[in-house]
Amino acid sequence: MTTVARPKEPPPRNRRAHQHEIDAIIEATGYQRNEIITKGSHEVGWAVLFAIETAMRLGEITAIEWKDVYIEGMYIHLPDTKNGLARNVPLSAEAERLLLQIKGYNHPRVLKIESDSLSTRFRFFRDKCGVEGLRFHDLRHEASTRMAQIIKNPADLAKITGHTDVNILVNTYYNPTPTEVAMRLRGIEE
């Protein structure tokens, strides 16, 4: 077996969600910014927006319990994550607005929808509006990339996303477009 080479690891996925794709999916779900959440399809739209604001994984979003939401402290405590470590996710003003919008919809969990159903329904709405190749996890990538433009220290960003290896975070999620890099080189604010 010494002459047999192991297959190479595939390159990390670098798919980002474009704003027009996000908008199309949100519209397809029937989610409205200023309306009460009344249907499972609205939960899908809400979860898409919440993922982009928090960089949380699908399973983390569907598992949120109100007892772990600290609006006054501006964070959510995640007691159980993929890597087995608890973490606190800071809330942007938009993430806080989303939580306040859905407050009272379900108890004790924030969402009624389960992870498998959210994943299936996300794919349904994605396909319905003709968005190709986008996975729910790509919203985490998009969120992390957007946050990297605000939070310059990768160690701070790792605390938000839960990455234990900062190099993975930098190489996988910090993925500015060539235009974004060119704008930074020219000193143009986005």
Side-chain angles (χ1 to χ4, degrees), residues 13 24 50 56 74 127 149:
R13 187 169 166 84
F50 198 72
M56 289 172 62
M74 298 179 286
D127 295 347
Q149 295 172 11

Side-chain angles (χ1 to χ4, degrees), residues 116-190:
D116 290 345
S117 295
L118 178 56
S119 180
T120 300
R121 295 190 78 181
F122 171 79
R123 289 190 307 272
F124 169 80
F125 290 116
R126 174 202 66 194
D127 295 347
K128 180 179 179 180
C129 54
V131 173
E132 294 182 16
L134 185 69
R135 300 177 188 165
F136 194 92
H137 194 75
D138 296 330
L139 302 175
R140 177 171 159 83
H141 182 136
E142 181 62 25
S144 298
T145 302
R146 290 180 184 190
M147 287 179 187
Q149 295 172 11
I150 299 166
I151 300 166
K152 301 301 182 188
N153 183 344
D156 289 341
L157 187 55
K159 288 181 180 181
I160 296 169
T161 63
H163 286 85
T164 55
D165 183 347
V166 175
N167 289 325
I168 291 173
L169 178 70
V170 171
N171 293 329
T172 304
Y173 291 102
Y174 181 78
N175 190 27
T177 66
T179 303
E180 290 167 343
V181 173
M183 289 175 70
R184 288 181 199 150
L185 288 171
R186 296 171 184 216
I188 301 170
E189 293 295 321
E190 297 174 58

Side-chain angles (χ1 to χ4, degrees), residues 52-123:
I52 291 169
E53 287 299 317
T54 61
M56 289 172 62
R57 296 175 180 90
L58 182 145
E60 293 170 343
I61 292 171
T62 57
I64 301 170
E65 294 188 4
W66 285 110
K67 67 179 179 62
D68 296 320
V69 175
Y70 298 91
I71 296 289
E72 300 81 23
M74 298 179 286
Y75 72 94
I76 294 174
H77 177 70
L78 300 179
D80 185 30
T81 65
K82 180 181 172 184
N83 65 15
L85 302 173
R87 78 174 188 275
N88 294 320
V89 177
L91 298 172
S92 66
E94 177 63 8
E96 180 179 325
R97 184 200 69 76
L98 287 162
L99 284 166
L100 293 173
Q101 178 187 26
I102 205 165
K103 189 153 180 66
Y105 178 66
N106 196 13
H107 186 77
R109 288 183 26 243
V110 171
L111 295 176
K112 290 180 184 175
I113 198 166
E114 299 290 337
S115 293
D116 290 345
S117 295
L118 178 56
S119 180
T120 300
R121 295 190 78 181
F122 171 79
R123 289 190 307 272

Side-chain angles (χ1 to χ4, degrees), residues 33-57:
R33 177 179 172 79
N34 297 317
E35 292 183 13
I36 296 170
I37 305 295
T38 58
K39 299 193 270 186
S41 60
H42 298 165
E43 283 187 83
V44 176
W46 184 95
V48 166
L49 295 175
F50 198 72
I52 291 169
E53 287 299 317
T54 61
M56 289 172 62
R57 296 175 180 90

